[in-house]
Amino acid sequence: MSLLSISNLNLSIRKKPILRDVSLTVDAGQIVGIIGESGSGKSMTAYCVTQLLPEGLEPSGNIRFNGKDILQTSEADMCAIRGAEVSMVFQEPMTALNPVHTIGQQVAETILIHEPETSKSEALERARDALNRVELPESRFPLSRYPHEMSGGQRQRVVIAMAIALRPKLLIADEPTTALDVTTQAEILTLLTRLVREDGMGLMIITHDLAVVADMADHIHIMQKGQIVEHGPADRLFQTMQHPYSKALLAASSHVPDREQPQGETPLLEVRNVLRDYPLPRTKLFAKPESFRAVNDVSFTIRKGESLGLVGESGCGKSTLTRAILGLEEIQGGEILLSGEPVFTGKKPNRAVRRKMQVVFQDPYGSFNPRHRVDRLITEPFHLLDSAPSDRADRIAEALRSVGLTPDDAFKYPHEFSGGQRQRIAIARALIIKPELIILDEAVSALDVSIRAQILDLLAELSETHGLTYLFISHDLSVVRSITDRVLVMQHGKIVEQGETQSVFDNPTDIYTQTLIAAAPRLPEDLRNF
Amino acid sequence: MLRYTLSRLQSLILSLIVASIVIFATVEIVPGDPASFMLGMNAQPDTIAALREQLGLDVPLWQRYLHWATGLLGGDFGTSYTYRTPIAEMIAERLWISLPLAIYALTLSTLIAFPAGILAATRRGSAADVSVMGFTQLGVAIPNFWFAMLMVLVFAIYLRWFSAGGFPGWENPLLAMKALTLPAVALALPQASILARVMRSALLDTLSEDYVRTARAKGLTRRQTLWRHALRNALIPVLTIIGLQFSFLMAGAIIIENVFFLPGLGRLVFQAISQRDLIVVESVVMLLVFAVIIVNFAVDIAYAIVDPRLRGNR
Amino acid sequence: MRALLTNRNFAIGLLLTCVFVAGALISFLWTPHDTSGVDIANKLKKPLSEGYLLGTDHFGRDILSMIMVGARTSIAVAFVAVGIGIVIGVPLGLAAAASKGSLMDEIIMRSNDLVFAFPSLVIAILITAIFGPSAVNAIIAIGIFNIPVFARLTRGAALSLWQRDYVLSAQVAGKGPARISFEHILPNVTNLLIVQGTIQFSLGILAEAGLSYVGLGAQPPIPSWGRMLAESQTMISFAPHMALLPGLAIVFTVLGLNLMGDGLRDIFDPRIRREKR
């Protein structure tokens, strides 16, 4: 009999079905991946198992865990099961720990709650063991550490330590690595796999990223709109997929937009020996604040018509570099030239140069002032022109049409659009003053894979029709690989490697680049041609 | 923790210096000559000259400030013009009523607000929540001195449980506390209403935090999650409000003393205003501001005790 | 607008507020009786006496008329004090947020902390000791205390807005901090300001009543709720209506404004609104 078996699970929120006839099983020692885009109901399935649903939600169906009927179990008995037999790990490690307790207290709490007869010192000792198991050694991570003194990956390890301290039979991990960098993600996934093998526990891992679970899970379920549309053993599923949604998901995940190779040889953007220091927060009222070098001696060139990728993990300095290129902040050394002219002249941004570049940001929800209409939003860059263009209405219509929207959309407010449509509006805003260079700062990172594929296609098409040059900044290697000609790898404020995208990915020379590429989750190799 | 305390101490001293300069300067902008202002229109020239000398008006401004400020440090507030007695003594005597009153009220307000706020937050939407919210809505809207008058009407005039005013002195502490009870309740009610509302919303905020979900996933019951995880985090905004309330309580005490004819700081300052005794006014104001700044310092230190994130850096 | 009126808190609050604002406005044109004269023959009439709906005070003045005229003082003082807080506090908060971490930000915020150490009553005591009591003192004292309230609120909200990508887009479009503050930040904090404004308005009415009660606010012959209460104090045992009625006027006005503020907060904050449905 399976450790966990869910059958015909249904759940509705205000009459709207969230889960429809979900059935799946998890065996001891088995890793089961659940994949779906946002809103597909994958997290709700997990919350049903632990009965941690928002108040007032009553699922129907059957959930049997270790012989117990979960849906008929009282809240008091559920408390005894949670943390001891079924544990959970969540998406946001930065906020998942209580900031006012030490990590030792928090891990020991799991033990003390379930085994109240344990002495405090013994519980702390066992907490130490659990932390050692998740590779947080005592020398660097004493029990007296507070969460704010640790990085996101380290905090996620603490959460895992809390979850496995009592060696539960089932671990549910809800997007455990989504908020983490690639290298950290790979470490956490390895850790989880090791713990499953060592303890023989079942692992239910929930993610939106097909590649994350492709080489880790034993069995995969694909969810769409509250239903499991396809499932099977991981090693065969990708070949035998039948359902149109899973096929589309797979195609989108490994999507490579059609692109012409670059023609031009003239340099468009030249970045030479750029230094950027940031002042640290003021510690004394009148003392000069200390500073931190975020960008250290960075040089590169983008040729006209080219698409250049800039990859690096959070905190590597890529956002700072972006701001410097956009002329938003003054640099402390080196120069940045666009078509041979500096972006920053005489302590002031150079407006004539700034007209030639625009930017698209990551967050499709925070990119627009919610109080302005689309026509006002996308014409904001006109501020860079000396006088407002006379054919304003025509240019709005043209920009909207070129990103696949209609001119009538100009009179709507941003909240009337979906995430993907908003990203189209953001691109329209970038296009409207006919720039030469567009900087895409994590522009597709927040989108679901299928939407991401559409936006990437749009970008590829626009680069041809409008003769655009792209600087593509991302932490996502697969996206960079699919849309760029050359790539720069950045670490600790420096460019550690640069070259043709294909050759950097196939034969990375720098040790950091090698780690980064090895860490990136990948779909099985044979699917690339599929 | 030491670094944090030192940096807070530094800003405490800075605030005190700036506040004293502001107060000193305000009194200095008195139209015309302070001595003739204090004595009124019909004063004799030689009395004015005598007061000028007593006030030290013949030396430069900054010297007068330094003299006054160093005096304050040593507990010397100067001499009251009207009563010819050291102001420090007068204040000390009055402080024995105003300070216990403020502390009594703060204690009451906390004792009422915490259980009410916690109850409302944990039983959100229940009858208990609705009635706590209703009462606090009313409590916030009632002027404390009017509430005090109503209590006098009910408990002193109709029921005769308490005396309508006056203070018997601290010789019998029980009687003294009894005399301060109605004033303290009047002061505490509006503050308790505000505090209960803040407690409720702070708890509701922390209860929706991710770490509360983590705690539930560990197997803690709702109740355990509340006491072990949510409450301590909710204390941070609550402490801020308690600190702010202290200044309202000091000010409120001055007004409430009027209703109950208590011989506290409030009476002293209003007499001083009507007698144009500027030095007394200046001293009492400085004392009130000093108290507020000290309490805010204490709140800052309490933050660091509650929240480890503040101890290390900053 | 429909959302506004279907919110129960807001509707009740608006009604209460309108009653008192209307009373104050009508009093300019008409009151049931004259409030300046003394009419000893009709003194201390109980409420619901003939011709005197709410009774009369110890000088025989009509209490309803006094409350109507007193509303003028309360509303005017609180309104101007909130105005002072907004007109000075909001630009300071915007400037502090726009220059986050700079010396200017530091100085603005430290001065705010300092002003917080001076409760309105203390400021009023200082001013009155020097210039003598008047309604203007009350306005200044309450207004000064409102400045840091609005400055802090604005700065806090503005700081999180400055992190939004649309602000970055505006910077990319070459707009400066002042322009961004007015075009992108201010419109997105107005909701908060309106809510806080109503709350400060109600606090202002309470503060004005307190100051007038101890004689630091409006002076005779200007009628004010606080002073009506002060005058009633010695007569409370035999004429309780003199103490009850002006007090109730204060409570209902403040309650109305607070309910309106709560209602507005619910209406403006879509997160809470969704939860309630």
Side-chain angles (χ1 to χ4, degrees), chain A residues 165-192:
Chain A
L166 292 170
R167 310 217 171 208
K169 297 187 176 67
L170 174 66
L171 180 64
I172 299 173
D174 185 6
E175 303 267 13
T177 57
T178 307
L180 302 173
D181 280 326
V182 253
T183 47
T184 322
Q185 162 166 293
E187 287 164 20
I188 297 284
L189 293 175
T190 316
L191 172 70
L192 285 172

PDB file of all heavy atoms in Angstrom, chain A residues 165-192:
ATOM      1  N   ALA A 165      13.752  16.891  11.179  1.00  0.00           N
ATOM      2  CA  ALA A 165      14.313  16.607  12.505  1.00  0.00           C
ATOM      3  C   ALA A 165      13.736  15.336  13.107  1.00  0.00           C
ATOM      4  O   ALA A 165      14.433  14.593  13.788  1.00  0.00           O
ATOM      5  CB  ALA A 165      14.086  17.786  13.442  1.00  0.00           C
ATOM      6  N   LEU A 166      12.477  15.070  12.857  1.00  0.00           N
ATOM      7  CA  LEU A 166      11.842  13.891  13.444  1.00  0.00           C
ATOM      8  C   LEU A 166      11.715  12.748  12.435  1.00  0.00           C
ATOM      9  O   LEU A 166      10.944  11.820  12.643  1.00  0.00           O
ATOM     10  CB  LEU A 166      10.462  14.262  14.006  1.00  0.00           C
ATOM     11  CG  LEU A 166      10.499  15.187  15.218  1.00  0.00           C
ATOM     12  CD1 LEU A 166       9.115  15.690  15.545  1.00  0.00           C
ATOM     13  CD2 LEU A 166      11.087  14.467  16.412  1.00  0.00           C
ATOM     14  N   ARG A 167      12.483  12.851  11.360  1.00  0.00           N
ATOM     15  CA  ARG A 167      12.474  11.827  10.297  1.00  0.00           C
ATOM     16  C   ARG A 167      11.045  11.471   9.876  1.00  0.00           C
ATOM     17  O   ARG A 167      10.576  10.345  10.111  1.00  0.00           O
ATOM     18  CB  ARG A 167      13.207  10.577  10.752  1.00  0.00           C
ATOM     19  CG  ARG A 167      14.565  10.934  11.331  1.00  0.00           C
ATOM     20  CD  ARG A 167      15.615   9.931  11.005  1.00  0.00           C
ATOM     21  NE  ARG A 167      16.905  10.474  11.428  1.00  0.00           N
ATOM     22  CZ  ARG A 167      18.063  10.187  10.886  1.00  0.00           C
ATOM     23  NH1 ARG A 167      18.128   9.365   9.885  1.00  0.00           N
ATOM     24  NH2 ARG A 167      19.164  10.733  11.334  1.00  0.00           N
ATOM     25  N   PRO A 168      10.347  12.403   9.269  1.00  0.00           N
ATOM     26  CA  PRO A 168       8.967  12.132   8.856  1.00  0.00           C
ATOM     27  C   PRO A 168       8.922  11.123   7.716  1.00  0.00           C
ATOM     28  O   PRO A 168       9.943  10.884   7.066  1.00  0.00           O
ATOM     29  CB  PRO A 168       8.480  13.499   8.372  1.00  0.00           C
ATOM     30  CG  PRO A 168       9.717  14.194   7.926  1.00  0.00           C
ATOM     31  CD  PRO A 168      10.810  13.720   8.837  1.00  0.00           C
ATOM     32  N   LYS A 169       7.764  10.581   7.509  1.00  0.00           N
ATOM     33  CA  LYS A 169       7.622   9.602   6.433  1.00  0.00           C
ATOM     34  C   LYS A 169       7.422  10.277   5.089  1.00  0.00           C
ATOM     35  O   LYS A 169       7.735   9.734   4.047  1.00  0.00           O
ATOM     36  CB  LYS A 169       6.412   8.698   6.719  1.00  0.00           C
ATOM     37  CG  LYS A 169       6.576   7.879   7.979  1.00  0.00           C
ATOM     38  CD  LYS A 169       5.429   6.896   8.106  1.00  0.00           C
ATOM     39  CE  LYS A 169       5.612   5.999   9.316  1.00  0.00           C
ATOM     40  NZ  LYS A 169       5.493   6.751  10.589  1.00  0.00           N
ATOM     41  N   LEU A 170       6.841  11.523   5.144  1.00  0.00           N
ATOM     42  CA  LEU A 170       6.562  12.209   3.889  1.00  0.00           C
ATOM     43  C   LEU A 170       7.001  13.679   4.020  1.00  0.00           C
ATOM     44  O   LEU A 170       6.738  14.321   5.041  1.00  0.00           O
ATOM     45  CB  LEU A 170       5.052  12.148   3.588  1.00  0.00           C
ATOM     46  CG  LEU A 170       4.558  12.939   2.366  1.00  0.00           C
ATOM     47  CD1 LEU A 170       5.116  12.342   1.088  1.00  0.00           C
ATOM     48  CD2 LEU A 170       3.038  12.975   2.320  1.00  0.00           C
ATOM     49  N   LEU A 171       7.678  14.156   2.992  1.00  0.00           N
ATOM     50  CA  LEU A 171       8.065  15.555   2.962  1.00  0.00           C
ATOM     51  C   LEU A 171       7.415  16.210   1.747  1.00  0.00           C
ATOM     52  O   LEU A 171       7.466  15.665   0.645  1.00  0.00           O
ATOM     53  CB  LEU A 171       9.595  15.682   2.874  1.00  0.00           C
ATOM     54  CG  LEU A 171      10.169  17.097   2.839  1.00  0.00           C
ATOM     55  CD1 LEU A 171       9.870  17.832   4.137  1.00  0.00           C
ATOM     56  CD2 LEU A 171      11.675  17.062   2.613  1.00  0.00           C
ATOM     57  N   ILE A 172       6.757  17.329   1.981  1.00  0.00           N
ATOM     58  CA  ILE A 172       6.148  18.047   0.866  1.00  0.00           C
ATOM     59  C   ILE A 172       6.929  19.335   0.658  1.00  0.00           C
ATOM     60  O   ILE A 172       7.086  20.128   1.593  1.00  0.00           O
ATOM     61  CB  ILE A 172       4.674  18.375   1.162  1.00  0.00           C
ATOM     62  CG1 ILE A 172       3.889  17.087   1.366  1.00  0.00           C
ATOM     63  CG2 ILE A 172       4.069  19.194   0.042  1.00  0.00           C
ATOM     64  CD1 ILE A 172       2.469  17.293   1.825  1.00  0.00           C
ATOM     65  N   ALA A 173       7.473  19.522  -0.532  1.00  0.00           N
ATOM     66  CA  ALA A 173       8.264  20.721  -0.807  1.00  0.00           C
ATOM     67  C   ALA A 173       7.537  21.540  -1.866  1.00  0.00           C
ATOM     68  O   ALA A 173       7.371  21.094  -2.995  1.00  0.00           O
ATOM     69  CB  ALA A 173       9.662  20.345  -1.278  1.00  0.00           C
ATOM     70  N   ASP A 174       7.052  22.723  -1.478  1.00  0.00           N
ATOM     71  CA  ASP A 174       6.264  23.562  -2.384  1.00  0.00           C
ATOM     72  C   ASP A 174       7.163  24.632  -2.985  1.00  0.00           C
ATOM     73  O   ASP A 174       7.517  25.587  -2.318  1.00  0.00           O
ATOM     74  CB  ASP A 174       5.114  24.197  -1.575  1.00  0.00           C
ATOM     75  CG  ASP A 174       4.168  24.995  -2.459  1.00  0.00           C
ATOM     76  OD1 ASP A 174       4.344  24.957  -3.689  1.00  0.00           O
ATOM     77  OD2 ASP A 174       3.262  25.654  -1.910  1.00  0.00           O
ATOM     78  N   GLU A 175       7.555  24.471  -4.222  1.00  0.00           N
ATOM     79  CA  GLU A 175       8.467  25.392  -4.906  1.00  0.00           C
ATOM     80  C   GLU A 175       9.674  25.724  -4.022  1.00  0.00           C
ATOM     81  O   GLU A 175       9.991  26.882  -3.780  1.00  0.00           O
ATOM     82  CB  GLU A 175       7.741  26.711  -5.250  1.00  0.00           C
ATOM     83  CG  GLU A 175       6.495  26.548  -6.103  1.00  0.00           C
ATOM     84  CD  GLU A 175       6.779  26.694  -7.585  1.00  0.00           C
ATOM     85  OE1 GLU A 175       7.964  26.682  -7.978  1.00  0.00           O
ATOM     86  OE2 GLU A 175       5.813  26.783  -8.359  1.00  0.00           O
ATOM     87  N   PRO A 176      10.396  24.724  -3.545  1.00  0.00           N
ATOM     88  CA  PRO A 176      11.422  24.994  -2.524  1.00  0.00           C
ATOM     89  C   PRO A 176      12.598  25.805  -3.054  1.00  0.00           C
ATOM     90  O   PRO A 176      13.341  26.367  -2.258  1.00  0.00           O
ATOM     91  CB  PRO A 176      11.880  23.588  -2.110  1.00  0.00           C
ATOM     92  CG  PRO A 176      11.606  22.738  -3.300  1.00  0.00           C
ATOM     93  CD  PRO A 176      10.375  23.305  -3.919  1.00  0.00           C
ATOM     94  N   THR A 177      12.781  25.870  -4.362  1.00  0.00           N
ATOM     95  CA  THR A 177      13.984  26.527  -4.869  1.00  0.00           C
ATOM     96  C   THR A 177      13.674  27.708  -5.779  1.00  0.00           C
ATOM     97  O   THR A 177      14.583  28.315  -6.334  1.00  0.00           O
ATOM     98  CB  THR A 177      14.839  25.520  -5.663  1.00  0.00           C
ATOM     99  OG1 THR A 177      14.027  24.982  -6.715  1.00  0.00           O
ATOM    100  CG2 THR A 177      15.320  24.402  -4.779  1.00  0.00           C
ATOM    101  N   THR A 178      12.396  28.030  -5.938  1.00  0.00           N
ATOM    102  CA  THR A 178      12.025  29.058  -6.907  1.00  0.00           C
ATOM    103  C   THR A 178      12.648  30.402  -6.578  1.00  0.00           C
ATOM    104  O   THR A 178      13.017  31.171  -7.461  1.00  0.00           O
ATOM    105  CB  THR A 178      10.490  29.182  -6.942  1.00  0.00           C
ATOM    106  OG1 THR A 178       9.960  27.897  -7.153  1.00  0.00           O
ATOM    107  CG2 THR A 178      10.040  30.097  -8.045  1.00  0.00           C
ATOM    108  N   ALA A 179      12.778  30.701  -5.271  1.00  0.00           N
ATOM    109  CA  ALA A 179      13.292  32.015  -4.906  1.00  0.00           C
ATOM    110  C   ALA A 179      14.816  32.029  -4.835  1.00  0.00           C
ATOM    111  O   ALA A 179      15.403  33.032  -4.460  1.00  0.00           O
ATOM    112  CB  ALA A 179      12.704  32.427  -3.553  1.00  0.00           C
ATOM    113  N   LEU A 180      15.452  30.934  -5.201  1.00  0.00           N
ATOM    114  CA  LEU A 180      16.908  30.841  -5.011  1.00  0.00           C
ATOM    115  C   LEU A 180      17.669  30.932  -6.330  1.00  0.00           C
ATOM    116  O   LEU A 180      17.112  30.702  -7.399  1.00  0.00           O
ATOM    117  CB  LEU A 180      17.238  29.514  -4.316  1.00  0.00           C
ATOM    118  CG  LEU A 180      16.562  29.286  -2.959  1.00  0.00           C
ATOM    119  CD1 LEU A 180      16.829  27.877  -2.472  1.00  0.00           C
ATOM    120  CD2 LEU A 180      17.029  30.315  -1.945  1.00  0.00           C
ATOM    121  N   ASP A 181      18.944  31.234  -6.224  1.00  0.00           N
ATOM    122  CA  ASP A 181      19.816  31.254  -7.396  1.00  0.00           C
ATOM    123  C   ASP A 181      20.046  29.841  -7.911  1.00  0.00           C
ATOM    124  O   ASP A 181      19.913  28.873  -7.161  1.00  0.00           O
ATOM    125  CB  ASP A 181      21.166  31.854  -7.015  1.00  0.00           C
ATOM    126  CG  ASP A 181      21.092  33.361  -6.976  1.00  0.00           C
ATOM    127  OD1 ASP A 181      20.350  33.927  -7.790  1.00  0.00           O
ATOM    128  OD2 ASP A 181      21.786  33.960  -6.141  1.00  0.00           O
ATOM    129  N   VAL A 182      20.505  29.725  -9.171  1.00  0.00           N
ATOM    130  CA  VAL A 182      20.691  28.390  -9.768  1.00  0.00           C
ATOM    131  C   VAL A 182      21.633  27.500  -8.994  1.00  0.00           C
ATOM    132  O   VAL A 182      21.338  26.330  -8.764  1.00  0.00           O
ATOM    133  CB  VAL A 182      21.217  28.422 -11.228  1.00  0.00           C
ATOM    134  CG1 VAL A 182      20.129  28.042 -12.166  1.00  0.00           C
ATOM    135  CG2 VAL A 182      21.855  29.724 -11.569  1.00  0.00           C
ATOM    136  N   THR A 183      22.781  28.044  -8.593  1.00  0.00           N
ATOM    137  CA  THR A 183      23.744  27.162  -7.919  1.00  0.00           C
ATOM    138  C   THR A 183      23.181  26.705  -6.575  1.00  0.00           C
ATOM    139  O   THR A 183      23.306  25.540  -6.213  1.00  0.00           O
ATOM    140  CB  THR A 183      25.102  27.856  -7.711  1.00  0.00           C
ATOM    141  OG1 THR A 183      24.875  29.157  -7.170  1.00  0.00           O
ATOM    142  CG2 THR A 183      25.852  27.993  -9.003  1.00  0.00           C
ATOM    143  N   THR A 184      22.522  27.629  -5.843  1.00  0.00           N
ATOM    144  CA  THR A 184      21.910  27.260  -4.572  1.00  0.00           C
ATOM    145  C   THR A 184      20.793  26.262  -4.806  1.00  0.00           C
ATOM    146  O   THR A 184      20.624  25.300  -4.057  1.00  0.00           O
ATOM    147  CB  THR A 184      21.326  28.506  -3.892  1.00  0.00           C
ATOM    148  OG1 THR A 184      22.200  29.590  -4.126  1.00  0.00           O
ATOM    149  CG2 THR A 184      21.145  28.297  -2.425  1.00  0.00           C
ATOM    150  N   GLN A 185      20.038  26.489  -5.876  1.00  0.00           N
ATOM    151  CA  GLN A 185      18.936  25.593  -6.211  1.00  0.00           C
ATOM    152  C   GLN A 185      19.457  24.170  -6.389  1.00  0.00           C
ATOM    153  O   GLN A 185      18.904  23.219  -5.835  1.00  0.00           O
ATOM    154  CB  GLN A 185      18.273  26.072  -7.504  1.00  0.00           C
ATOM    155  CG  GLN A 185      17.424  25.015  -8.185  1.00  0.00           C
ATOM    156  CD  GLN A 185      16.528  25.611  -9.245  1.00  0.00           C
ATOM    157  OE1 GLN A 185      15.610  26.351  -8.962  1.00  0.00           O
ATOM    158  NE2 GLN A 185      16.809  25.288 -10.488  1.00  0.00           N
ATOM    159  N   ALA A 186      20.547  24.048  -7.131  1.00  0.00           N
ATOM    160  CA  ALA A 186      21.102  22.718  -7.387  1.00  0.00           C
ATOM    161  C   ALA A 186      21.519  22.076  -6.072  1.00  0.00           C
ATOM    162  O   ALA A 186      21.275  20.880  -5.854  1.00  0.00           O
ATOM    163  CB  ALA A 186      22.298  22.832  -8.325  1.00  0.00           C
ATOM    164  N   GLU A 187      22.123  22.852  -5.172  1.00  0.00           N
ATOM    165  CA  GLU A 187      22.560  22.297  -3.888  1.00  0.00           C
ATOM    166  C   GLU A 187      21.376  21.805  -3.056  1.00  0.00           C
ATOM    167  O   GLU A 187      21.427  20.724  -2.462  1.00  0.00           O
ATOM    168  CB  GLU A 187      23.327  23.353  -3.082  1.00  0.00           C
ATOM    169  CG  GLU A 187      24.712  23.652  -3.628  1.00  0.00           C
ATOM    170  CD  GLU A 187      25.264  24.956  -3.061  1.00  0.00           C
ATOM    171  OE1 GLU A 187      24.770  25.413  -2.009  1.00  0.00           O
ATOM    172  OE2 GLU A 187      26.168  25.529  -3.688  1.00  0.00           O
ATOM    173  N   ILE A 188      20.320  22.622  -3.038  1.00  0.00           N
ATOM    174  CA  ILE A 188      19.148  22.243  -2.244  1.00  0.00           C
ATOM    175  C   ILE A 188      18.495  20.983  -2.811  1.00  0.00           C
ATOM    176  O   ILE A 188      18.092  20.083  -2.069  1.00  0.00           O
ATOM    177  CB  ILE A 188      18.130  23.413  -2.184  1.00  0.00           C
ATOM    178  CG1 ILE A 188      18.732  24.626  -1.467  1.00  0.00           C
ATOM    179  CG2 ILE A 188      16.819  22.981  -1.536  1.00  0.00           C
ATOM    180  CD1 ILE A 188      18.813  24.507   0.037  1.00  0.00           C
ATOM    181  N   LEU A 189      18.415  20.908  -4.133  1.00  0.00           N
ATOM    182  CA  LEU A 189      17.799  19.727  -4.753  1.00  0.00           C
ATOM    183  C   LEU A 189      18.625  18.472  -4.449  1.00  0.00           C
ATOM    184  O   LEU A 189      18.075  17.406  -4.149  1.00  0.00           O
ATOM    185  CB  LEU A 189      17.656  19.927  -6.266  1.00  0.00           C
ATOM    186  CG  LEU A 189      16.665  21.019  -6.689  1.00  0.00           C
ATOM    187  CD1 LEU A 189      16.688  21.208  -8.200  1.00  0.00           C
ATOM    188  CD2 LEU A 189      15.251  20.694  -6.213  1.00  0.00           C
ATOM    189  N   THR A 190      19.956  18.614  -4.516  1.00  0.00           N
ATOM    190  CA  THR A 190      20.821  17.478  -4.183  1.00  0.00           C
ATOM    191  C   THR A 190      20.602  17.048  -2.742  1.00  0.00           C
ATOM    192  O   THR A 190      20.510  15.851  -2.430  1.00  0.00           O
ATOM    193  CB  THR A 190      22.305  17.873  -4.366  1.00  0.00           C
ATOM    194  OG1 THR A 190      22.428  18.581  -5.593  1.00  0.00           O
ATOM    195  CG2 THR A 190      23.202  16.663  -4.375  1.00  0.00           C
ATOM    196  N   LEU A 191      20.518  18.073  -1.856  1.00  0.00           N
ATOM    197  CA  LEU A 191      20.304  17.784  -0.437  1.00  0.00           C
ATOM    198  C   LEU A 191      19.000  17.012  -0.220  1.00  0.00           C
ATOM    199  O   LEU A 191      18.970  15.999   0.483  1.00  0.00           O
ATOM    200  CB  LEU A 191      20.286  19.093   0.349  1.00  0.00           C
ATOM    201  CG  LEU A 191      19.879  18.983   1.817  1.00  0.00           C
ATOM    202  CD1 LEU A 191      20.956  18.289   2.622  1.00  0.00           C
ATOM    203  CD2 LEU A 191      19.598  20.358   2.402  1.00  0.00           C
ATOM    204  N   LEU A 192      17.934  17.509  -0.857  1.00  0.00           N
ATOM    205  CA  LEU A 192      16.635  16.850  -0.682  1.00  0.00           C
ATOM    206  C   LEU A 192      16.702  15.403  -1.165  1.00  0.00           C
ATOM    207  O   LEU A 192      16.222  14.489  -0.491  1.00  0.00           O
ATOM    208  CB  LEU A 192      15.539  17.617  -1.431  1.00  0.00           C
ATOM    209  CG  LEU A 192      15.081  18.927  -0.789  1.00  0.00           C
ATOM    210  CD1 LEU A 192      14.149  19.681  -1.724  1.00  0.00           C
ATOM    211  CD2 LEU A 192      14.379  18.656   0.546  1.00  0.00           C
TER     212      LEU A 192
END
